[in-house]
Amino acid sequence: MDRAKNPFSPGAGSPPPELAGRSAILGDAMVALKRVKNGRAEKSMILVGLRGVGKTVLLGEIQRLAETEGYKTTFIEAHESRQKKTFPELLIPHLRRILFDLNRGEMVSEKARKALRVFKSFISALKIKTGDLEFSIDIDAETGEADSGDLEADLAALFVSIGEAAKDRGTAVAIIIDELQYLEEKELSAMIMAVHRVMQKSLPLILIGAGLPQLVGKAGNSKSYAERLFSYPEVGALTKEDAQIALQLPVKELGVSFSSEALDEIYNVTKGYPYFLQEWGYHAWNTASSDSKIITIQNAINASKLSIANLDKNFFRVRFDRLTPSERKYVRALAEFGREPQRSGDIANKLGKTVEQVAPLRAQLISKGMIYSPAHGDTAFTVPLFEEFLIREIPIFSAKDNY
């Protein structure tokens, strides 16, 4: 096939040619957006799921839907890094842009001007290193609002002020944040409280986020009422029917089709995870004959070889290389049990240690987003098919060796 016409786009956050199986989530998001803009109290939304299920793609689509509804939007990605920015430092440039947008136009809005003053108080009180940002705001700070230096109180005051400005300008604001699991507990707590205050006042501001499965428990630990403020739609692997749609529709538009055997083969190997479907679809197209209109099972088998080699070199390797020798040993022990969640005690036994001895190691891996606890005492990978990579990388497990 003509590689230049390949419809598949494997990549982090790359939108697929066909967004199959996500209509319920997008429908709920649209309802929430409409309700919030109309001044009705509605839960914000946090998408949760493993790596490679398309959370970032969905956030991008929800941002597009919000913009069609007239929202002022911003997209923020939190990062896992020792040198990472704090949550307020991540927010500031994005909120600054929204506030300036709210201050544009012929009609002067006192609420929007006040929100800028509150914003200046916020960055001044928290002593955030923002370069020339603070000085580019030619306006006095709002004394007594968002200037206490306490992140929970000040962020709530800032969100309320932005919501009031949006209401005054007849619009709404959507703050979209990816990788929320990387926020510190204090930061997550402040975000939840800010959303709570906005919801209490029925202001037109909504937060749409996404993160790994451990985020639900982390949010609940930060604020007990978090479950009442957010809906947590689970983003998982596609059903076989939706997976086939995701593969078949894009190529049919180009006069090509997958054979039923090829579709079965790809689904059986990828387990319906959207990122992997894109990877397999991409290589299946490229290995198909240029004079054929059918992608065969042999093309699918060839795609498996190429896809696995590429994933091992990139998608999986990047995550493996971030692990310490002790962390590698732990995840390799977990891989011995297969794909299903395992009891932490069984993993500790495999390592020849007690649960208490490996608990700090397990906590480090959860913090890095490599594993999560689907139920108390259980442990599972956040990266689909990672156990298969680990077995390919380290064929023989030994509790005595470092990797």
Side-chain angles (χ1 to χ4, degrees):
M1 301 289 182
D2 185 347
R3 295 180 65 179
K5 294 182 179 179
N6 193 325
F8 299 103
S9 305
S14 299
E18 178 63 32
L19 192 57
R22 305 305 191 202
S23 58
I25 292 174
L26 293 174
D28 289 346
M30 180 57 91
V31 169
L33 290 168
K34 287 179 178 291
R35 285 180 59 82
V36 167
K37 189 178 181 185
N38 290 333
R40 299 188 181 277
E42 183 58 66
K43 291 181 179 180
S44 287
M45 178 181 288
I46 295 179
L47 313 179
V48 293
L50 303 181
R51 299 288 186 194
V53 295
K55 300 186 298 297
T56 303
V57 169
L58 281 170
L59 289 183
E61 181 63 14
I62 291 171
Q63 181 180 28
R64 187 190 67 78
L65 292 174
E67 288 170 351
T68 64
E69 289 295 307
Y71 271 71
K72 307 291 185 183
T73 73
T74 191
F75 195 111
I76 305 166
E77 182 180 354
H79 297 281
E80 187 231 345
S81 169
R82 292 183 181 179
Q83 288 80 39
K84 73 174 182 177
K85 294 180 179 179
T86 64
F87 185 44
E89 287 172 331
L90 284 173
L91 282 173
I92 279 175
H94 298 274
L95 298 185
R96 175 179 180 267
R97 179 180 58 78
I98 285 176
L99 285 167
F100 282 160
D101 282 347
L102 291 172
N103 270 279
R104 291 195 178 103
E106 296 180 2
M107 299 293 291
V108 176
S109 167
E110 178 52 34
K111 291 287 187 181
R113 295 288 290 172
K114 179 186 175 183
L116 268 177
R117 295 196 299 270
V118 173
F119 177 67
K120 188 165 186 178
S121 297
F122 179 77
I123 60 179
S124 300
L126 291 175
K127 297 180 174 60
I128 298 167
K129 297 178 181 178
T130 56
D132 295 331
L133 176 60
E134 181 177 355
F135 304 104
S136 69
I137 303 174
D138 187 20
I139 194 169
D140 293 331
E142 182 75 8
T143 303
E145 288 199 43
D147 59 1
S148 70
D150 177 82
L151 181 59
E152 283 195 356
D154 292 350
L155 187 63
L158 178 58
F159 271 34
V160 166
S161 185
I162 293 172
E164 288 175 341
K167 182 178 180 180
D168 193 52
R169 296 309 302 257
T171 186
V173 171
I175 300 172
I176 300 168
I177 308 177
D178 202 4
E179 304 286 9
L180 274 173
Q181 75 277 353
Y182 289 137
L183 296 191
E184 301 293 340
E185 185 172 331
K186 180 181 178 181
E187 296 171 337
L188 189 59
S189 179
M191 185 198 77
I192 293 169
M193 179 169 286
V195 171
H196 189 201
R197 286 282 303 280
V198 166
M199 187 174 175
Q200 285 178 320
K201 293 177 176 288
S202 298
L203 293 171
L205 185 153
I206 189 170
L207 188 139
I208 308 289
L212 295 175
Q214 61 261 39
L215 181 58
V216 179
K218 192 173 181 180
N221 291 336
S222 296
K223 292 293 181 186
S224 60
Y225 52 75
E227 64 181 29
R228 302 194 299 275
L229 294 179
F230 297 97
S231 61
Y232 297 95
E234 293 186 15
V235 187
L238 298 181
T239 64
K240 187 173 183 178
E241 180 181 1
D242 286 331
Q244 291 179 344
I245 291 171
L247 289 168
Q248 195 74 282
L249 284 187
V251 300
K252 279 198 169 183
E253 292 178 359
L254 298 170
V256 178
S257 63
F258 282 87
S259 70
S260 59
E261 294 83 4
L263 290 173
D264 288 342
E265 173 69 15
I266 293 175
Y267 181 78
N268 290 337
V269 176
T270 64
K271 312 303 179 189
Y273 285 102
Y275 180 85
F276 299 144
L277 290 172
Q278 291 297 304
E279 187 78 40
W280 262 255
Y282 178 82
H283 289 293
W285 173 279
N286 286 345
T287 60
S289 172
S290 60
D291 59 359
S292 173
K293 295 297 183 182
I294 300 293
I295 298 176
T296 67
I297 186 170
Q298 187 58 53
N299 298 139
I301 292 170
N302 292 338
S304 289
K305 296 175 184 177
L306 293 169
S307 297
I308 290 170
N310 191 51
L311 290 168
D312 284 0
K313 183 180 178 181
N314 299 293
F315 184 78
F316 294 131
R317 172 62 59 183
V318 168
R319 288 156 176 81
F320 183 75
D321 286 348
R322 291 170 49 234
L323 304 179
T324 66
S326 296
E327 291 169 343
R328 291 179 182 181
K329 186 186 293 187
Y330 186 98
V331 296
R332 181 58 182 84
L334 175 57
E336 282 287 283
F337 296 96
R339 184 175 295 114
E340 297 303 316
Q342 300 300 320
R343 300 298 296 172
S344 299
D346 293 336
I347 303 167
N349 289 338
K350 180 67 70 174
L351 292 165
K353 297 181 181 295
T354 65
V355 171
E356 291 73 19
Q357 287 174 318
V358 300
L361 195 58
R362 180 175 181 267
Q364 290 170 19
L365 287 164
I366 290 175
S367 178
K368 285 187 174 182
M370 294 302 304
I371 60 174
Y372 74 108
S373 180
H376 181 70
D378 283 355
T379 304
F381 288 113
T382 61
V383 182
L385 308 185
F386 195 57
E387 70 286 344
E388 296 179 11
F389 162 76
L390 289 168
I391 292 171
R392 288 193 296 272
E393 181 72 17
I394 308 168
I396 300 175
F397 170 75
S398 171
K400 297 180 181 179
D401 296 333
N402 283 328
Y403 305 116

